[in-house]
Amino acid sequence: MSTAVRPSLIEISPHTTRPTALPDHVYAVLKQRILSCALPPNERLIEKKLCAELRVSRTPLREALNRLSHEELVSFQPHAGYRVAGITLAGFKNLIELRSIVEPQAAALAAERATPADLAALRAQATQPHDPSEEHSFIQYCQANSHFHLLVVRCARNSMLENIVMSALDMYQRPTYLRIGRQMDPSNPSSKHHAIVDAIERRDAEAARTIMRQHIQGGGERIMAALQAAHIT
Amino acid sequence: MSTAVRPSLIEISPHTTRPTALPDHVYAVLKQRILSCALPPNERLIEKKLCAELRVSRTPLREALNRLSHEELVSFQPHAGYRVAGITLAGFKNLIELRSIVEPQAAALAAERATPADLAALRAQATQPHDPSEEHSFIQYCQANSHFHLLVVRCARNSMLENIVMSALDMYQRPTYLRIGRQMDPSNPSSKHHAIVDAIERRDAEAARTIMRQHIQGGGERIMAALQAAHIT
DNA sequence: ATAAATTAGCTTGTATACAAGTATACAAAT
DNA sequence: ATTTGTATACTTGTATACAAGCTAATTTAT
């Protein structure tokens, strides 16, 4: 490829890993565009066009596409190419079920294992304010929400759990964005988050588990209703 | 690459997916060799040598290596290449914790959702005999065991859970093999399996969850002891 | 003799050419 | 008008050449 200055590839990245090598850049950019719906669901992803746009050759691009397809953010058929993964009600139900299984247990472990530094970080993230008058407020709010859940699972000190929850939170992002325009959670998720931190702080694993489960299932049902209202099957 | 007849690439594959394209073949072969310890932990994986041996070019090989590294069956450092992932006690603890979280809940869901056909398949797999006098008996026994757990999670009808458990079962394989030579589980896992099927059959989600949790934790502790005895940190 | 530095070899990273397969558009027949 | 067959253009699959970077061995200086 040319040695010309590469355009700023990294825009924003929800939970990125090594932002070093070329395939990782491409992965991060595509993931951001997919999760933000800048690349809409079911959009065809043609290697040559993406190569030209991102100024990379097909090799690192294909590596990124492969990663995304294994994370089920893009779908793939042999010799028929890649598409941005569609959003389905069934898929979202599976996702909620997964989160309802893993995150409450992770919260219970967090209650046993969180350090004082962890607690401080959790409290800070739960307190994170968002200005509803701002244009980007809803997206910021979603990402802050997501980050809080990530911090909780990190307290469980289990990288496998962490990876699963990270991936689940990523997949949760697009269905959430479809709710843009609708009112936010009337039960105020921030107070739920504080309640979770409270439980972790007093080492009450059972309460942490229960509140987390209710929090996830409540939010999930609201989004499912929105999906059905949007006639997404 | 040459058009000469390709050697039989697929040997045995625990849980393989599309066995169609070249990268999938390579993936399946490498995975089998890694999980069976034919490629021992920490072995360096040099692209050129593997290419020559498997008669493929670097492109499909690298795709397979990438997949394996994201599944944490091979480790990777930029410009320093791939190695077969090491086996660590900490990693195994995380794995047990993950399985203890996901599989009991999956068993509970299975109790709600299993069809008569599911129940028949579960019962058949739990009854699967193994001949302790056979040379390959231990490995067959492990794989039958693994397959039973896979069937249970399939009854939960959630592909995300299924993928997580499939991956976890794969990662469980190598630590189990290190126990070769030691006696098998004296508490007879087959009877535990039947107890799980019993619970699912009578739609007793609570019992299914409990028995599955005890089964996983019991087996995990025995293997952990073996790992420590083998001085694996 | 030991340790640091340099260089040679090897391995991985990227780009691109070529092969194989697919989809679409167009034409012809029902 | 609809459907089916075919050909063309396009997309993906694989191989390989070249560039960049790491490893390790060898040499030199202390």
Side-chain angles (χ1 to χ4, degrees):
Chain A
M1 63 167 272
S2 86
T3 56
V5 175
R6 192 183 310 286
S8 73
L9 287 182
I10 299 249
E11 296 152 16
I12 62 169
S13 54
H15 318 117
T16 199
T17 48
R18 297 175 314 182
T20 59
L22 214 42
D24 293 314
H25 279 282
V26 175
Y27 169 80
V29 173
L30 288 179
K31 181 165 159 181
Q32 195 281 325
R33 291 188 187 175
I34 291 169
L35 295 188
S36 69
C37 294
L39 284 170
N42 302 309
E43 178 100 330
R44 188 139 180 222
L45 297 171
I46 290 172
E47 296 182 3
K48 215 167 97 177
K49 292 181 184 172
L50 290 174
C51 287
E53 188 180 343
L54 301 179
R55 309 290 201 86
V56 297
S57 77
R58 287 178 60 207
T59 309
L61 177 77
R62 282 171 62 90
E63 189 175 324
L65 287 173
N66 276 323
R67 280 177 66 179
L68 290 166
S69 77
H70 289 299
E71 295 175 17
E72 302 196 58
L73 289 175
V74 317
S75 60
F76 168 77
Q77 264 192 312
H79 285 107
Y82 298 86
R83 284 177 181 275
V84 176
I87 297 177
T88 67
L89 193 62
F92 186 74
K93 279 183 184 169
N94 283 346
L95 182 57
I96 292 296
E97 195 163 270
L98 171 62
R99 289 192 62 190
S100 298
I101 288 173
V102 175
E103 292 191 52
Q105 300 280 15
L109 290 174
E112 296 171 10
R113 298 176 187 171
T115 65
D118 288 333
L119 288 168
L122 283 175
R123 186 67 74 184
Q125 186 66 33
T127 306
Q128 186 91 352
H130 53 278
D131 182 352
S133 66
E134 272 291 329
E135 179 62 26
H136 296 330
S137 177
F138 185 79
I139 291 184
Q140 286 176 351
Y141 154 75
C142 290
Q143 291 184 345
N145 195 52
S146 179
H147 192 64
F148 174 80
H149 285 262
L150 182 60
L151 287 184
V152 171
V153 72
R154 276 200 186 142
C155 296
R157 300 283 188 281
N158 182 324
S159 60
M160 292 185 190
L161 290 180
E162 189 179 325
N163 287 336
I164 288 168
V165 170
M166 257 174 56
S167 172
L169 290 171
D170 283 338
M171 296 190 77
Y172 201 82
Q173 199 167 315
R174 289 191 302 165
T176 307
Y177 285 176
L178 291 180
R179 289 202 331 126
I180 287 181
R182 296 176 179 273
Q183 79 285 2
M184 291 179 190
D185 186 347
S187 74
N188 191 1
S190 176
S191 72
K192 273 279 179 62
H193 286 190
H194 278 293
I196 291 169
V197 183
D198 290 343
I200 293 173
E201 200 162 31
R202 65 174 190 272
R203 308 298 178 188
D204 186 343
E206 205 52 55
R209 184 189 351 254
T210 302
I211 300 170
M212 181 65 92
R213 184 176 55 237
Q214 291 169 351
H215 175 51
I216 290 172
Q217 287 178 342
E221 273 164 32
R222 243 188 328 282
I223 291 172
M224 254 178 54
L227 290 180
Q228 283 173 319
H231 299 99
I232 287 171
T233 58
Chain B
M1 62 168 269
S2 85
T3 56
V5 176
R6 192 184 309 288
S8 73
L9 286 182
I10 300 250
E11 296 153 15
I12 61 169
S13 52
H15 320 117
T16 196
T17 49
R18 297 174 315 183
T20 59
L22 214 42
D24 293 314
H25 279 283
V26 175
Y27 168 80
V29 173
L30 288 179
K31 181 165 159 181
Q32 196 281 324
R33 291 190 186 173
I34 290 169
L35 294 188
S36 68
C37 294
L39 284 170
N42 302 308
E43 177 99 332
R44 188 140 179 220
L45 297 171
I46 290 171
E47 297 182 3
K48 215 168 98 176
K49 292 182 184 171
L50 290 173
C51 287
E53 188 179 343
L54 301 178
R55 308 294 200 85
V56 297
S57 77
R58 287 178 59 207
T59 308
L61 176 77
R62 282 170 62 89
E63 189 176 322
L65 287 173
N66 275 323
R67 280 177 67 180
L68 289 165
S69 76
H70 289 299
E71 295 174 17
E72 302 195 57
L73 289 175
V74 318
S75 61
F76 168 77
Q77 263 193 313
H79 287 107
Y82 298 85
R83 285 175 180 277
V84 177
I87 296 176
T88 67
L89 194 62
F92 186 74
K93 280 182 183 170
N94 283 346
L95 182 57
I96 292 297
E97 195 162 89
L98 171 62
R99 289 192 62 190
S100 299
I101 288 173
V102 174
E103 292 192 52
Q105 299 280 14
L109 290 174
E112 297 172 8
R113 298 176 188 170
T115 65
D118 287 334
L119 288 168
L122 284 174
R123 187 67 74 185
Q125 186 65 33
T127 306
Q128 185 91 351
H130 54 277
D131 181 353
S133 66
E134 270 294 329
E135 180 61 27
H136 297 329
S137 176
F138 185 79
I139 290 184
Q140 285 176 351
Y141 154 76
C142 289
Q143 290 184 346
N145 196 50
S146 178
H147 192 63
F148 175 80
H149 285 261
L150 183 60
L151 287 184
V152 171
V153 73
R154 276 197 187 145
C155 296
R157 298 283 186 286
N158 183 325
S159 60
M160 293 187 190
L161 289 180
E162 189 178 325
N163 287 337
I164 288 168
V165 170
M166 259 174 55
S167 171
L169 290 172
D170 283 337
M171 296 191 76
Y172 202 80
Q173 198 167 317
R174 290 192 300 167
T176 307
Y177 285 176
L178 292 180
R179 289 200 331 125
I180 286 180
R182 297 176 177 271
Q183 79 286 1
M184 292 180 189
D185 185 348
S187 74
N188 190 0
S190 176
S191 72
K192 274 278 180 61
H193 285 189
H194 277 293
I196 291 169
V197 182
D198 290 343
I200 293 173
E201 200 162 30
R202 66 175 190 271
R203 309 298 178 187
D204 187 344
E206 205 51 56
R209 185 191 348 257
T210 303
I211 300 170
M212 181 64 93
R213 184 176 55 238
Q214 290 169 351
H215 175 51
I216 290 173
Q217 287 177 342
E221 273 163 32
R222 244 188 327 282
I223 292 173
M224 255 181 52
L227 290 179
Q228 284 172 319
H231 299 99
I232 287 172
T233 57

